[in-house]
């Protein structure tokens, strides 16, 4: 049964790729069909298939749906008002025209410490497109540099929920996890940047093919200042960071009304709605047409709707895989092997690849390994922290069609599924393996 589950997973992934690339089936339909196919052929109860698909679809929409809409609206106002281009000019003065991918990697690395990588990509995407357009580069390079920069800290550095949960399950010191997570994720991020430069440059994607140089110059004349343009992005990020700080076990903001207030305004939904209100201030003159369904807001909502459909369908496929039991089958079999510090990585990578969610992979792996920590000799403070980071590294390997982040990156970056596998999937494999090797080398020295 375990072998059939793995074979069926591979066949389902092949179906998704073939149906979207060769048959030109819309990705959201391919994912829904794949969810039904896997559920039926894996032997799941019929009622469980339906409940898994609806729960996965609805759960994904509820968690990131508003964030995607809000981020898209902010992005549309930044683009249409010319704000994205004034941001581009200011950043390019610091990094130089040829260093846009490195700038995106660093920005992504910082943003994803408190922000989910999906949300971070949506927030930074308008800036990335503007920088890439002005620098005359392919969007494939900068988008993957941003994606991998975000992924490095999303999976390995608290206060992202996954690493925090793993630290709690394995009774690891959160401060030590942050320290080792930062040390491992920085070189992993740099390898991700180098990967984007080498492989992304081979694929040409225009950041905004509808936009001419004349239109850019026209928008620059009417554009807001760089400071004003950064505010719809910076303010939500600061609010989200403050909420993450308030959730630390030490409770730096206390446990009263102020902490509750920070928790409210720092929730990604609230923070991005505030970002929308700030974005409304970007045009020199805000009129009712911009706010209508035929104006900027309406166009942004339509664009976001397609992305939400695809992302939610990926969530439905992932939930079917989770509820089919494939994650537990693979994880339990690997947990019996005596692989030392490589074991957390391999188990997390197998579960991640099987069901799509990095957070689920991290939490499931930590739960499977918790009773094995003592037999494996991973009982010291440093060993527990490195195990958490190794799990995080594994949860990067790999981002593909059953991962909602895969669809966020590919759809916002105008990549087809085949290109997504070449760049996003292979890139997360390289970055994850790099992090695992670094953890292993550190363990040889300090354990």
């Amino acid at each position: 049964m375990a072998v059939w589950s793995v074979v069926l997973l591979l066949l389902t992934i092949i179906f998704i790729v073939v149906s979207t690339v060769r048959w030109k089936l819309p990705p959201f339909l391919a994912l829904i069909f794949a969810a039904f196919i896997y559920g039926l052929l894996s032997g799941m109860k019929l009622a469980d298939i339906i409940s898994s698909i609806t729960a996965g679809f609805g759960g994904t929409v509820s968690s990131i749906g508003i964030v995607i809409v809000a981020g898209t609206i902010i992005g549309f106002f930044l683009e249409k008002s010319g704000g994205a281009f004034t941001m581009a000019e200011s950043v390019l003065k610091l990094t130089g025209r040829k260093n846009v991918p490195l700038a995106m990697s660093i920005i992504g690395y910082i943003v994803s410490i408190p922000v989910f990588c999906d949300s971070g990509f949506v927030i930074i995407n308008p800036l990335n497109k503007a920088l890439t357009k002005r620098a005359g580069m392919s969007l494939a390079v900068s988008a993957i540099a941003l994606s991998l920069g975000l992924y490095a800290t999303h999976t390995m550095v608290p206060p992202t929920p996954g690493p925090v949960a793993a630290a709690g399950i394995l009774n690891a010191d959160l401060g030590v996890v942050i320290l080792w997570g930062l040390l491992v994720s920085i070189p992993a991020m740099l390898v991700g940047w180098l990967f984007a430069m080498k492989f992304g440059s081979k694929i040409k994607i225009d950041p905004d093919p509808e936009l001419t140089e004349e239109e850019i110059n026209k928008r620059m004349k009417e554009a807001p200042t760089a400071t004003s343009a950064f505010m719809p992005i910076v303010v939500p990020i600061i609010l989200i960071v403050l909420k993450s700080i308030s959730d630390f076990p030490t409770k730096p903001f206390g446990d009263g009304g102020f902490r509750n207030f920070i928790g409210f305004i720092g929730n990604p939904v609230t923070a991005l709605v505030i970002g929308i209100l700030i974005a409304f201030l970007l045009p020199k003159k805000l009129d009712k047409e911009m706010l209508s369904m035929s104006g900027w807001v309406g166009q942004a909502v339509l664009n976001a709707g397609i992305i939400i459909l695809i992302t939610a369908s990926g969530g439905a496929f992932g939930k079917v895989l989770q509820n089919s039991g494939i994650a537990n089958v693979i994880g339990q079999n690997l947990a019996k092997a005596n692989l030392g510090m490589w074991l957390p990585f391999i188990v997390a990578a197998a579960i991640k690849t099987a069901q799509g969610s990095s957070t689920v992979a991290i939490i499931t792996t930590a739960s499977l390994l918790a009773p094995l920590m003592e037999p494996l000799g991973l009982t010291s403070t440093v060993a527990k922290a490195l195990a958490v980071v190794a799990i995080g590294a594994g949860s990067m390997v790999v981002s593909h069609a059953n991962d909602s982040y895969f669809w966020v990156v590919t759809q916002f970056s105008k990549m087809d599924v085949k290109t997504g596998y070449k760049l996003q999937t292979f890139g997360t494999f390289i970055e994850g393996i790099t992090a695992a090797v670094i953890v292993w080398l550190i363990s040889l020295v300090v354990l």
Side-chain angles (χ1 to χ4, degrees):
M1 184 62 185
V3 174
W4 168 240
S5 296
V6 175
V7 171
L8 181 58
L9 175 62
L10 294 174
L11 292 175
T12 308
I13 293 170
I14 291 171
F15 165 77
I16 293 170
V17 175
V18 172
S19 64
T20 53
V21 175
R22 296 192 63 180
W23 305 340
K24 305 302 181 184
L25 196 67
F28 80 91
L29 272 182
L31 286 163
I32 293 297
F33 288 161
F36 274 104
I37 291 169
Y38 189 90
L40 290 169
L41 296 183
S42 67
M44 289 179 66
K45 294 179 181 178
L46 299 181
D48 290 344
I49 296 173
I50 296 298
S51 62
S52 296
I53 290 172
T54 54
F57 192 97
T60 303
V61 171
S62 66
S63 63
I64 64 171
I66 296 176
V67 170
I68 288 177
V69 173
T72 306
I73 292 173
I74 292 171
F76 222 84
F77 269 76
L78 284 170
E79 290 184 12
K80 294 294 185 181
S81 69
F85 295 100
T86 56
M87 287 192 296
E89 286 295 326
S90 63
V91 174
L92 281 175
K93 288 177 182 176
L94 296 175
T95 63
R97 292 178 66 88
K98 295 182 179 180
N99 292 330
V100 173
L102 179 59
M104 285 299 103
S105 291
I106 294 170
I107 290 171
Y109 180 90
I110 296 169
V111 166
S112 202
I113 291 175
V115 180
F116 269 96
C117 56
D118 308 66
S119 305
F121 195 92
V122 172
I123 293 170
I124 302 300
N125 186 57
L127 172 61
N128 179 40
K129 290 174 68 177
L131 285 170
T132 307
K133 181 69 176 182
R134 297 291 287 177
M137 301 182 69
S138 169
L139 183 60
V141 182
S142 58
I144 292 302
L146 173 60
S147 168
L148 297 180
L150 287 160
Y151 226 27
T153 45
H154 171 74
T155 55
M156 292 187 284
V157 182
T160 307
V164 169
I169 293 169
L170 298 182
N171 196 28
D173 183 279
L174 200 61
V176 179
V177 174
I178 291 173
L179 172 64
W180 289 113
L182 289 170
L183 289 174
V184 172
S185 59
I186 289 173
M189 177 268 291
L190 292 174
V191 168
W193 162 62
L194 292 173
F195 171 87
M197 292 292 292
K198 180 173 177 60
F199 292 92
S201 59
K202 298 178 181 178
I203 298 171
K204 302 301 180 185
I205 301 176
D206 193 321
D208 193 356
E210 298 84 18
L211 209 60
T212 65
E213 190 64 32
E214 290 74 18
E215 289 174 315
I216 293 176
N217 293 331
K218 182 179 178 181
R219 291 184 188 180
M220 287 294 291
K221 293 178 181 178
E222 298 293 322
T225 64
T227 301
S228 299
F230 272 108
M231 295 307 287
I233 294 176
V234 173
V235 171
I237 289 173
I238 290 174
L239 294 177
I240 294 169
V241 168
L242 287 174
K243 181 186 181 300
S244 296
I245 294 172
S246 73
D247 290 338
F248 280 173
T250 55
K251 297 181 179 179
F253 297 147
D255 201 18
F258 181 69
R259 180 173 181 267
N260 292 334
F261 175 71
I262 293 297
F264 172 72
I265 63 171
N267 182 284
V269 172
T270 310
L272 281 165
V273 168
I274 292 172
I276 291 177
L277 296 176
I278 298 172
F280 285 168
L281 302 175
L282 293 179
K284 286 195 171 182
K285 184 180 180 181
L286 182 68
D287 56 50
K288 291 186 291 185
E289 178 61 27
M290 292 178 181
L291 304 178
S292 69
M293 282 305 296
S294 60
W296 295 2
V297 170
Q299 293 175 58
V301 170
L302 289 175
N303 290 348
I306 297 171
I307 296 171
I308 290 172
L309 262 181
I310 296 169
T311 305
S313 299
F317 179 43
K319 180 61 72 173
V320 168
L321 293 177
Q322 290 176 20
N323 292 344
S324 72
I326 186 173
N328 289 332
V329 169
I330 293 175
Q332 288 170 358
N333 286 335
L334 284 176
K336 296 175 184 177
N338 184 22
L339 299 171
M341 190 55 74
W342 280 99
L343 180 59
F345 170 81
I346 294 173
V347 174
I351 295 175
K352 161 67 178 179
T353 301
Q355 53 78 46
S357 168
S358 292
T359 302
V360 170
I362 290 171
I363 294 172
T364 304
T365 304
S367 300
L368 286 170
L369 290 177
L372 302 175
M373 294 296 282
E374 188 170 344
L376 291 171
L378 303 176
T379 55
S380 69
T381 301
V382 173
K384 291 178 181 178
L386 286 176
V388 172
V389 178
I391 291 171
S395 74
M396 282 193 275
V397 180
V398 290
S399 173
H400 66 104
N402 63 358
D403 179 10
S404 64
Y405 187 49
F406 175 89
W407 296 105
V408 169
V409 172
T410 55
Q411 295 306 301
F412 273 97
S413 307
K414 306 177 184 179
M415 296 179 192
D416 58 28
V417 174
K418 184 178 179 181
T419 302
Y421 268 85
K422 286 181 178 179
L423 297 181
Q424 174 70 4
T425 302
F426 190 37
T428 55
F429 174 80
I430 295 296
E431 189 173 51
I433 290 291
T434 299
V437 170
I438 294 168
V439 171
W440 174 65
L441 291 174
I442 291 173
S443 70
L444 294 180
V445 176
V446 300
L447 298 183

